[in-house]
Amino acid sequence: MAIHENARPVSIAPRTALPMNPAEWRPILSTLVLPPAGPLLLIAFGWLLARRRRAAGRALGLAGLVLLWLLSSNAVAVRLSDLLLPAVAALPPGEAVARLQAHRVQAVIALGGGLYPRVPELEGPQPSSQTGTRALYGAWLARESGLPLGFAGGIGWANAGEAEHPDEADAVARLLARTGLAPLRWADSQSRDTIENAQNMAALLRRDGIERIALVTSAWHMPRAVRAFEATGLTVLPAPMGFAVPLQRPVLEWLPSTHGLTNTSAVVREWLALRLGR
């Protein structure tokens, strides 16, 4: 299939304002359960309990502090990823194209993972670091293999009620146009979660007879993403990236950090989503 550099990506119909969906409460509920809010609420409950039952309240508050420390360390994030999530293996760089050819892959599909609505130093919304790295890795695979590229990423449930909120697909299309790595052939700008990523993208791919894809997303997100895309009837070759790995000296890995907290939250969220069938 010939894909021209200036071709506009095929996408689904523009989004319109929708009535409140109960699923829009998911970001609020998950935020309250996951770190740091979960441990902080435990500490607050311990402080309140200490007014009547001092020993129990202090014990609960201390447990919350210890839990917050541990869940903010990258060492715990790496260990939880190994223990809680199914293992996935990266495509070796020197063998990636051969693997795609061996599995008769017809397209590379990257998934979104967030958006910066306003970036003062650049014009318009921009992909988050997670979305950008997924898109760039997918574009690299597409360029090296000569396969067409698709991207699935709308606005997520956190912004689902805002009809004018920018979407990830448009930001990624502009990012790839600037880099010149590979053009987007398909773009899903409406999806609010992984299941809708799969359903919307599968509908676009079927129009062009695509049945076998290489799927690009973060390693911790890959098991759930593969399950969602295979449920649509597509055959999926995982192409994971963004693994939870040690980043610093061992002693620093056990200290609280923003990247440790981010990784732990992602791992725990995925574990819960897999358990709940989401």
Side-chain angles (χ1 to χ4, degrees), residues 44-245:
F45 184 68
W47 178 76
L48 293 173
L49 182 63
R51 294 184 175 185
R52 295 190 176 184
R53 302 180 60 182
R54 180 173 298 181
R58 288 181 174 178
L60 196 62
L62 179 59
L65 283 172
V66 172
L67 187 62
L68 181 59
W69 181 294
L70 291 175
L71 294 179
S72 298
S73 68
N74 196 52
V76 171
V78 174
R79 185 61 176 157
L80 287 178
S81 179
D82 293 339
L83 289 175
L84 300 181
L85 301 179
V88 294
L91 294 177
E95 303 175 16
V97 174
R99 293 278 186 92
L100 267 60
Q101 293 174 344
H103 286 79
R104 294 181 289 126
V105 169
Q106 299 169 283
V108 177
I109 306 299
L111 303 186
L115 178 79
Y116 299 131
R118 181 175 178 272
V119 179
E121 69 274 20
L122 295 172
E123 182 181 358
Q126 301 298 321
S128 68
S129 56
Q130 183 170 255
T131 298
T133 51
R134 291 178 184 179
L136 291 175
Y137 179 54
W140 177 80
L141 282 177
R143 185 192 67 180
E144 295 297 302
S145 63
L147 294 172
L149 175 66
F151 178 85
I155 60 172
W157 284 110
N159 299 300
E162 301 182 25
E164 300 302 321
H165 195 278
D167 62 77
E168 299 172 18
D170 180 64
V172 165
R174 287 187 282 107
L175 170 67
L176 296 179
R178 288 197 304 270
T179 62
L181 265 176
L184 273 186
R185 175 66 178 84
W186 306 278
D188 158 36
S189 60
Q190 294 191 53
S191 55
R192 295 163 293 187
D193 54 29
T194 304
I195 292 177
E196 291 187 1
N197 283 162
Q199 293 172 342
N200 292 350
M201 183 53 63
L204 293 173
L205 295 175
R206 287 193 190 98
R207 299 176 188 175
D208 292 327
I210 303 296
E211 298 178 348
R212 308 179 71 89
I213 66 168
L215 186 62
V216 176
T217 189
S218 302
W220 43 264
H221 182 230
M222 185 60 75
R224 187 161 60 97
V226 168
R227 184 175 67 183
F229 274 78
E230 288 183 339
T232 69
L234 293 170
T235 300
V236 179
L237 172 67
M241 42 72 61
F243 289 78
V245 295

